[in-house]
């Protein structure tokens, strides 16, 4: 009986640790990556500001059975790219909320599934000379307790996807 009691105590402690740690972890997260693409700023911005192009470069849009829905004019404020896919990509929508031509694209990201959440996303482009452009992609948001425990892993989880997406954009544009 003592062994069972000890096992239960150890299990409770293991389960309690993330909940206790989450009290001290920031509820805000920010993940950012950047890359330099050897193409003019206007060309790069035009490509990333049209959300339908994500089908060509985004690791999140690779579900062959995913259903997509579009509202508005792509590349303009108010355009919404909606999706409903497998468990890896879930269901949600990305809406363009502001555009500063050739400089910055602001978007709201809203997930419905696997769990409801929202994030702010923006992509900036900056001329870095010699017909090359620095692209900076940022995702930031808030996680409520105890989900904020996941913020410890957010940079690694989302960051690798942002890196892959940026490298895919670079490959696509530099081949043209």
């Amino acid at each position: 009986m003592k062994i069972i009691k000890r096992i239960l105590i150890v299990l409770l402690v293991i389960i309690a640790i993330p909940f206790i740690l989450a009290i001290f972890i920031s509820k805000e997260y920010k993940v950012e990556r950047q890359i330099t693409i050897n193409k003019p700023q206007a060309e790069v911005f035009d490509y990333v500001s049209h959300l339908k192009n994500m089908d060509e470069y985004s690791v999140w849009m690779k579900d062959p059975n995913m259903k997509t829905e579009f509202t508005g004019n792509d590349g303009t404020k108010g355009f919404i790219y909606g999706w409903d896919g497998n468990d890896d990509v879930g269901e949600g929508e990305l809406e363009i909320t502001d555009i500063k031509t050739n400089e910055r694209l602001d978007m709201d990201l809203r997930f419905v599934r696997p769990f409801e959440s929202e994030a702010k996303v923006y992509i900036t482009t900056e001329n870095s000379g010699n017909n090359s452009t620095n692209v900076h992609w940022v995702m930031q948001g808030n996680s409520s307790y105890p989900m904020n425990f996941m913020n410890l892993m957010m940079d690694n989880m989302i960051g690798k996807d942002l890196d892959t997406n940026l490298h895919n954009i670079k490959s696509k544009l530099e081949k043209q």
Side-chain angles (χ1 to χ4, degrees), residues 36-41 126-133 174:
T36 300
I37 298 175
N38 296 315
K39 286 291 183 175
Q41 183 177 4
E126 182 180 339
N127 183 347
S128 58
N130 297 326
N131 271 336
S132 62
T133 304
E174 288 183 357

Side-chain angles (χ1 to χ4, degrees), residues 72-157:
N73 295 319
D74 196 3
T76 64
K77 184 176 177 178
F79 178 76
I80 298 173
Y81 183 117
W83 71 90
D84 186 359
N86 61 29
D87 291 340
D88 291 333
V89 298
E91 178 183 358
E93 61 184 21
L94 187 60
E95 179 180 0
I96 298 175
T97 57
D98 197 22
I99 298 176
K100 292 183 181 80
T101 303
N102 295 333
E103 294 178 21
R104 183 174 166 132
L105 176 71
D106 287 276
M107 298 164 281
D108 282 348
L109 175 61
R110 298 180 286 269
F111 282 103
V112 175
R113 182 176 56 80
F115 52 87
E116 288 189 28
S117 68
E118 294 182 4
K120 298 289 186 187
V121 179
Y122 64 87
I123 298 173
T124 61
T125 59
E126 182 180 339
N127 183 347
S128 58
N130 297 326
N131 271 336
S132 62
T133 304
N134 188 38
V135 180
H136 188 209
W137 193 336
V138 177
M139 181 183 295
Q140 57 192 28
N142 292 298
S143 302
S144 58
Y145 174 86
M147 292 302 291
N148 63 315
F149 182 76
M150 296 295 291
N151 290 356
L152 294 175
M153 298 161 267
M154 200 68 80
D155 189 74
N156 188 40
M157 292 185 318

Side-chain angles (χ1 to χ4, degrees), residues 33 47 51-66 68 81 83 85-90 94 109 111 137 139 155-171:
R33 296 293 189 270
Y47 185 75
L51 301 186
K52 289 181 184 178
N53 288 335
M54 289 189 309
D55 293 342
E56 298 175 0
Y57 66 80
S58 177
V59 296
W60 302 310
M61 303 304 171
K62 298 302 180 193
D63 173 8
N65 299 316
M66 183 169 54
T68 56
Y81 183 117
W83 71 90
N86 61 29
D87 291 340
D88 291 333
V89 298
L94 187 60
L109 175 61
F111 282 103
W137 193 336
M139 181 183 295
D155 189 74
N156 188 40
M157 292 185 318
I158 294 174
K160 68 180 175 70
D161 290 344
L162 292 181
D163 277 333
T164 301
N165 290 347
L166 286 168
H167 281 90
N168 289 344
I169 293 168
K170 179 179 176 75
S171 294

Side-chain angles (χ1 to χ4, degrees), residues 9-24:
I9 290 171
V10 168
L11 285 174
L12 285 174
V13 169
I14 291 171
I15 291 169
I17 288 173
F19 288 96
I20 294 168
L21 288 176
I23 294 169
F24 304 101

